[in-house]
Amino acid sequence: MAGLWRSYQVLMAKHPWTVQIITAGSLVGVGDVISQQLIERRGLANHSARRTAKMMSIGFFFVGPVVGGWYKVLDKLVTGGTGGAALKKMLVDQVGFAPCFLGAFLGISGALNGLTVEENVTKLKRDYMDALISNYYLWPPVQIANFYFIPLHHSRALIQQRWRFKDVTVKRTYRTCLTQRVAQQHCERLLKGTKLRNF
């Protein structure tokens, strides 16, 4: 295991951007597997590999590049390795970046999971504040420690865990939204007097 970690560190030093993007996609994928197997209890036979692939694509093409780019910008905006600098980085990250990123993440995941624009907007209006408040309960102290103790190229990997946690939260939100959409369609059909099939 120690050899694997050393190899990861060497690759991270040589190719930080590529390794960071691969790490992001992989961790978001792991988050989806955890969600499907431990939270939703689907079992391996009912595991949706397609959904896992969609979530990994968010990690590869959105989370990895955006978070990696943001950390480079943040490191230039707030310099230094003191406790005060770590606190400033956390405040800029949590006040400026996290709200925007969370909204984009939820919107992209909803779109990839088949929600219409209207459904996505409704989902964001309903779930965004709860997700943001949950973010603020957990991540500010983690971010302070991250910015103070962990070098930049490793701090990106730590924050991928943050988005894996958010991925699990998004899965719960998506499942709730899907259930509500099916229930709404069921009610509309009943009101129109049509028979339901496969419900």
Side-chain angles (χ1 to χ4, degrees), residues 4 38 47 57-58 65 98 112 120 122 131-132 136 138 147 157 178:
L4 188 61
L38 299 180
H47 185 89
S57 71
I58 293 173
L112 282 179
N120 223 348
T122 300
L132 187 62
Y136 289 146
L138 178 63
F147 293 134
L178 184 62

Side-chain angles (χ1 to χ4, degrees), residues 100-151:
C100 300
F101 186 85
L102 178 61
F105 182 82
L106 290 172
I108 290 169
S109 66
L112 282 179
N113 284 304
L115 297 182
T116 66
V117 173
E118 294 80 19
E119 290 168 336
N120 223 348
V121 169
T122 300
K123 180 188 79 152
L124 284 168
K125 286 179 181 176
R126 185 188 65 231
D127 298 333
Y128 175 79
M129 285 308 295
D130 287 339
L132 187 62
I133 290 167
S134 296
N135 172 77
Y136 289 146
Y137 278 122
L138 178 63
W139 289 105
V142 172
Q143 285 289 66
I144 290 173
N146 178 35
F147 293 134
Y148 187 68
F149 294 111
I150 300 173

Side-chain angles (χ1 to χ4, degrees), residues 141-163:
V142 172
Q143 285 289 66
I144 290 173
N146 178 35
F147 293 134
Y148 187 68
F149 294 111
I150 300 173
L152 177 63
H153 64 282
H154 289 304
S155 68
R156 293 179 193 145
L158 173 68
I159 295 313
Q160 301 315 319
Q161 299 293 334
R162 167 186 182 176
W163 299 110

Side-chain angles (χ1 to χ4, degrees), residues 23-36 38-39 55-56 58-59 63 67 101 105 138-139 156-172:
T23 301
S26 301
L27 289 174
V28 173
V30 167
D32 183 70
V33 170
I34 289 169
S35 176
Q36 289 191 52
L38 299 180
I39 295 171
M55 294 311 296
M56 287 178 76
I58 293 173
V63 175
V67 171
F101 186 85
F105 182 82
L138 178 63
W139 289 105
R156 293 179 193 145
L158 173 68
I159 295 313
Q160 301 315 319
Q161 299 293 334
R162 167 186 182 176
W163 299 110
R164 185 179 77 180
F165 171 78
K166 285 193 188 311
D167 177 51
V168 171
T169 304
V170 167
K171 294 296 174 278
R172 287 183 186 166

